[in-house]
Amino acid sequence: MTMLKTETPSQRHALLDQYADDELVGAFLDDQLEAVEAVRRAAPQIAAAVAAAVPRMRAGGRLIYVGAGTSGRLGVLDSVELYPTFSWPHERAVALLAGGAGAMFKAVEGAEDDRAQGAADLRAVQPQDRDVVFLLAASGGTPYVLGALHAARAAGALTIGIANNTDAPVAREAEIGVTLDTGEEVISGSTRLKAGTSQKIALNTISSALMVRLHKVYGNLMVDLKASNAKLVQRSVRLTMHATGVDEATARATLEQCDFHVKVAVVALLNGQSTAEAEAALARAQGSVRAALAG
């Protein structure tokens, strides 16, 4: 049986259990840097994934994440962070995890081997051709994920396969394959280490780039967040002040008129409009702050 790179014992750290504390920490940290380089090498494929996904998102499509174990949990994490960060609707970020929602907190052994269940779970969310499906598997051959991949392709959805081994089925059989070649792990076979880190970076990069393209960022400011707690209210005030140059009292007063929607406050203040007029300008500009200011 050919051993996957992610499962091959590292020759650099054969005596890991004998390292002093500082050496042990150093070994893990140095190895994590390779995750960044693996993602950097895959930048062309990641950019292609963003370009292909944007028109589907503009057409009302969903982001659907599919994975098992660590990879699946990383997909869940990316999906749930989109609403508070970018006001991305909950129903447009769907995460499927082998073993069900309970597997987020307690491993469900064997669930990843059920190819038919992966296909059934994907079909249950009724994929459409405007949806984008992320298929996540460090090994690149997880049956649950492959079942979902083929069901997604049959439905016409855009499939983006992310794997940590070269020539992996998940990446090879998806419409766009992203190979994060992280190689051997410090702890042999523990893909929660740099393989997981690389997947987290790739997912963050893709979803954040999509949100920029969908006008949820102005300059480099997060202007479409949901101010759902005291910290985010303060952040909304600071962002509005930074974008417009007004003082705190003016920023807060304007935000209070539009339910702390930073986009609306920024356009209202910079255009000298009421918040209702700013909302209308943003609607005409399809949510783009720059277009609303220019119009």
Side-chain angles (χ1 to χ4, degrees):
M1 182 177 64
T2 302
M3 186 173 289
L4 299 172
K5 275 189 178 182
T6 51
E7 304 292 333
T8 303
S10 171
Q11 297 303 308
R12 290 180 296 170
H13 302 291
L15 300 177
L16 185 72
D17 62 336
Q18 298 181 38
Y19 285 8
D21 289 347
D22 59 342
E23 294 176 294
L24 186 60
V25 170
F28 283 120
L29 294 179
D30 288 345
D31 205 53
Q32 291 290 311
L33 294 175
E34 296 184 13
V36 179
E37 290 307 313
V39 180
R40 192 183 300 278
R41 289 192 296 271
Q45 291 72 42
I46 291 171
V50 172
V54 167
R56 289 170 170 82
M57 294 302 98
R58 287 180 176 157
R62 297 171 295 171
L63 298 173
I64 302 173
Y65 302 75
V66 184
T70 297
S71 297
R73 295 183 188 100
L74 289 169
V76 173
L77 181 61
D78 201 69
S79 73
V80 300
E81 290 180 339
L82 293 178
Y83 176 77
T85 310
F86 299 110
S87 297
W88 188 250
H90 292 295
E91 64 274 13
R92 294 183 67 189
V94 178
L96 303 177
L97 179 59
M104 186 72 187
F105 305 100
K106 185 176 180 180
V108 179
E109 301 301 336
E112 68 178 55
D113 297 327
D114 196 336
R115 186 182 185 117
Q117 190 62 54
D121 286 353
L122 196 285
R123 286 194 293 266
V125 300
Q126 299 179 315
Q128 300 177 22
D129 57 7
R130 61 187 180 180
D131 292 332
V132 175
V133 183
F134 296 105
L135 294 309
L136 310 165
S139 68
T142 305
Y144 178 89
V145 178
L146 288 172
L149 189 160
H150 294 146
R153 292 211 66 166
L158 173 67
T159 53
I160 300 172
I162 300 178
N164 292 89
N165 285 291
T166 57
D167 197 33
V170 162
R172 189 176 63 244
E173 297 174 21
E175 189 169 341
I176 297 175
V178 178
T179 300
L180 308 173
D181 187 6
T182 45
E184 303 88 352
E185 296 281 5
V186 171
I187 297 178
S188 301
S190 181
T191 51
R192 64 180 291 270
L193 300 175
K194 65 181 174 183
T197 299
S198 70
Q199 290 184 5
K200 179 70 166 67
I201 296 170
L203 287 174
N204 269 353
T205 300
I206 295 170
S207 60
S208 297
L210 284 174
M211 296 302 123
V212 172
R213 289 288 177 256
L214 296 171
H215 308 308
K216 292 180 175 294
V217 175
Y218 172 55
N220 66 343
L221 303 179
M222 189 173 86
V223 293
D224 212 2
L225 75 161
K226 286 292 183 186
S228 55
N229 58 41
K231 177 188 71 176
L232 293 177
V233 166
Q234 288 298 323
R235 183 175 297 167
S236 297
V237 173
R238 289 195 300 272
L239 288 167
T240 302
M241 292 170 63
H242 185 85
T244 64
V246 302
D247 59 26
E248 181 176 354
T250 302
R252 184 178 291 275
T254 306
L255 285 162
E256 287 174 348
Q257 296 170 31
C258 57
D259 196 26
F260 281 83
H261 195 169
V262 177
K263 267 188 175 186
V264 176
V266 169
V267 172
L269 288 165
L270 291 180
N271 274 354
Q273 297 174 317
S274 68
T275 54
E277 290 170 331
E279 286 180 350
L282 281 164
R284 290 192 298 271
Q286 298 181 312
S288 169
V289 171
R290 290 195 183 278
L293 293 176

